[in-house]
């Protein structure tokens, strides 16, 4: 099969397509003929040699944390899928390839009405957002939630989920066009952080009460203001650190306001925990995708041959929603 194999680390130019043997499904796995994969910021770090795959080093290091496609081989213990099924899967790597294998329980059916290519935009963004809101953040109907980078892949999924689950959502974005997009996803209030400090805007919007949960992808530069806008017993969920990782912490605020700071990663999480997340997602959020109430937001679609260009585009921070790569 054709696959993007990392043989050296560096800029987008190291992403070259090679011919390698097709993978074979293990007893509990399905093999997927990949229609599309989607880009994640982790792919950029992996390409630079700054984000190793968890577990044993594979023979071929192929980036790609999610795919959609058609099952073409099933292991002997697989019960839920057969060849020909339309599926999407959360991977620890291996998505930039014509075939990928996935444990049955990390695989999900493609919701009715979602194009098979577009389905590749679902696993990382929606599972991360769902997990961050409900499991890590403890949000529920009536919660006030702040979602940073509201036009990002994760942000666009989080806003839609929060809206469907009757939360009030305020979000931050860096441009007018993203502001309009975030409104369309269902945000109750959108702050362009380039025009006003987000903390003041969030406190105004919440009439000084602050928010119960923050989903933060930005990290360092937002940390102090995040603590300022959390209400008593609030939770800051740290999903990404786009602006950096180092910061100082005023323990007085954490103590006095009984705050929680919760970090989260999907990729390195134990497989059983990922399976539990996917089973919960299939029950509680997947039906919303199936009924067309929420949908993956697609910014653009590249061909696998243009993978280097796709990486350059993601770095430019222009995308609204996910950047897809068509494989099959
Ligand atoms: N923990 C996990 O399991 C997990 C899973 C998936 C993703 N992530 C992380 O979540 C983050 C977002 O992923 P994504 O795929 O949704 O991102 P994305 O679609 O690539 O969007 C990221 C957006 O963040 C904003 N941004 C970038 N740098 C910023 C900065 N220094 N300050 C403020 N805003 C900044 C930009 O939007 P504006 O123009 O609006 O500023 C940018 O378009 C990444 O760090 C990723 O690694 C974590």
């Amino acid at each position: 099969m054709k696959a993007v194999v990392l043989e050296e680390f560096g800029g987008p130019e190291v992403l070259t397509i090679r011919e390698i043997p097709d993978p074979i499904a293990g007893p509990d796995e399905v093999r997927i003929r990949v229609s599309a994969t989607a880009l994640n910021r982790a792919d950029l770090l992996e390409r630079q040699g700054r984000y190793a795959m968890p577990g044993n080093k594979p023979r071929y290091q192929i980036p790609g944390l999610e795919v959609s496609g058609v099952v073409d081989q099933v292991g002997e213990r697989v019960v839920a899928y057969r060849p020909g099924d339309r599926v999407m899967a959360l991977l620890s790597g291996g998505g930039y390839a014509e075939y990928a294998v996935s444990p049955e329980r990390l695989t999900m059916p493609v919701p009715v009405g979602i194009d098979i290519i577009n389905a590749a935009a679902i696993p990382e963004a929606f599972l991360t957002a769902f997990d961050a809101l409900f499991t890590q953040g403890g949000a529920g109907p009536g919660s006030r939630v702040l979602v940073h980078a509201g036009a990002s892949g994760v942000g666009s999924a989080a806003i839609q989920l929060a809206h469907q689950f009757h939360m009030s959502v305020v979000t931050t974005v860096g441009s007018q066009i993203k502001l309009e997009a975030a409104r369309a996803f269902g945000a109750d209030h959108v702050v362009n952080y380039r025009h006003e400090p987000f903390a003041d805007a969030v406190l105004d919007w919440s009439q000084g009460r602050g928010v119960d949960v923050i989903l933060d992808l930005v990290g360092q530069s937002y940390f102090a203001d995040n603590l300022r806008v959390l209400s008593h017993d609030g939770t800051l969920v740290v999903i990404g650190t786009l602006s950096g990782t180092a910061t100082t912490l005023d323990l007085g605020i954490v103590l006095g306001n009984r705050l929680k700071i919760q970090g989260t990663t999907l990729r390195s999480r134990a497989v059983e925990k990922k399976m539990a997340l996917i089973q919960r997602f299939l029950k509680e959020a997947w039906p919303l995708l199936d009924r067309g109430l929420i949908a993956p937001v697609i910014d653009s679609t590249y061909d696998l041959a243009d993978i280097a260009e796709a990486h350059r585009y993601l770095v430019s921070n222009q995308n609204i929603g996910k950047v897809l790569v068509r494989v099959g």
Side-chain angles (χ1 to χ4, degrees):
M1 68 169 180
K2 287 192 176 54
V4 174
V5 181
L6 283 180
E7 291 177 331
E8 55 177 326
F9 298 124
E13 67 285 352
V14 303
L15 299 167
T16 51
I17 297 176
R18 278 193 50 189
E19 196 66 45
I20 60 168
D22 296 348
I24 293 169
D28 298 304
E29 291 177 332
V30 299
R31 186 172 74 178
I32 302 167
R33 197 172 68 242
V34 175
S35 301
T37 183
L39 299 194
N40 285 281
R41 295 266 160 172
D43 306 356
L44 309 180
L45 297 177
E46 185 171 352
R47 163 174 53 73
Q48 294 161 349
R50 292 166 55 204
Y51 191 18
M53 258 180 106
N56 296 335
K57 196 172 181 314
R59 171 136 184 246
Y60 300 102
Q61 187 171 350
I62 304 169
L65 300 178
E66 53 193 336
V67 290
S68 58
V70 177
V71 173
D72 89 321
Q73 196 183 72
V74 293
E76 67 220 34
R77 291 202 288 265
V78 169
V79 290
Y81 298 103
R82 300 162 177 229
D85 286 349
R86 289 172 5 126
V87 295
M88 52 195 191
L90 181 72
L91 308 174
S92 308
Y96 291 13
E98 288 182 311
Y99 291 92
V101 289
S102 167
E104 173 182 23
R105 295 185 65 202
L106 296 183
T107 307
M108 297 173 277
V110 172
V112 169
I114 303 245
D115 179 88
I116 196 157
I117 300 274
N118 292 355
I122 294 174
E124 270 284 335
F126 277 88
L127 288 167
T128 300
F130 178 80
D131 178 64
L133 275 172
F134 296 102
T135 312
Q136 312 299 332
S143 296
R144 275 191 309 280
V145 179
L146 166 60
V147 176
H148 285 303
S152 65
V154 174
S156 59
I159 293 170
Q160 292 184 72
L161 286 167
H163 180 68
Q164 284 296 323
F165 284 89
H166 308 291
M167 301 172 198
S168 303
V169 195
V170 56
T171 188
T172 58
V173 294
S175 69
Q176 182 63 25
I177 185 169
K178 289 187 177 182
L179 184 147
E180 280 151 26
R183 268 204 196 116
F185 305 150
D188 297 287
H189 188 62
V190 189
V191 181
N192 183 337
Y193 65 83
R194 293 186 201 279
H195 292 171
E196 55 181 331
F198 83 79
D200 295 346
V202 169
L203 289 172
D204 276 355
W205 169 77
S206 63
Q207 296 167 334
R209 292 173 298 176
V211 294
D212 305 307
V213 179
I214 302 175
L215 268 48
D216 185 32
L217 318 174
V218 176
Q220 182 176 304
S221 64
Y222 280 7
F223 186 70
D225 281 341
N226 278 337
L227 296 192
R228 233 182 99 206
V229 303
L230 267 183
S231 60
H232 287 184
D233 302 300
T235 302
L236 167 63
V237 185
V238 180
I239 303 173
T241 52
L242 287 166
S243 70
T245 53
T247 187
T248 53
L249 168 60
D250 178 352
L251 285 169
I253 298 186
V254 175
L255 182 80
N257 294 347
R258 300 180 300 276
L259 305 182
K260 290 185 274 302
I261 301 170
Q262 176 70 49
T264 179
T265 58
L266 267 191
R267 192 187 195 188
S268 58
R269 202 176 291 189
V271 171
E272 296 70 32
K273 289 193 172 165
K274 287 192 222 179
M275 287 173 174
L277 166 62
I278 286 180
Q279 297 320 304
R280 184 175 176 198
F281 180 84
L282 283 171
K283 276 202 202 91
E284 297 176 27
W286 188 93
L288 301 173
L289 288 159
D290 206 43
R291 285 157 57 203
L293 296 172
I294 56 177
V297 178
I298 312 300
D299 176 271
S300 45
T301 307
Y302 288 78
D303 287 329
L304 190 62
D306 300 321
I307 185 72
E309 203 185 315
H311 269 224
R312 282 188 198 100
Y313 177 66
L314 192 69
V315 173
S316 76
N317 282 341
Q318 292 174 62
N319 59 296
I320 293 179
K322 296 282 292 187
V323 177
L324 293 181
V325 177
R326 194 185 297 108
V327 179

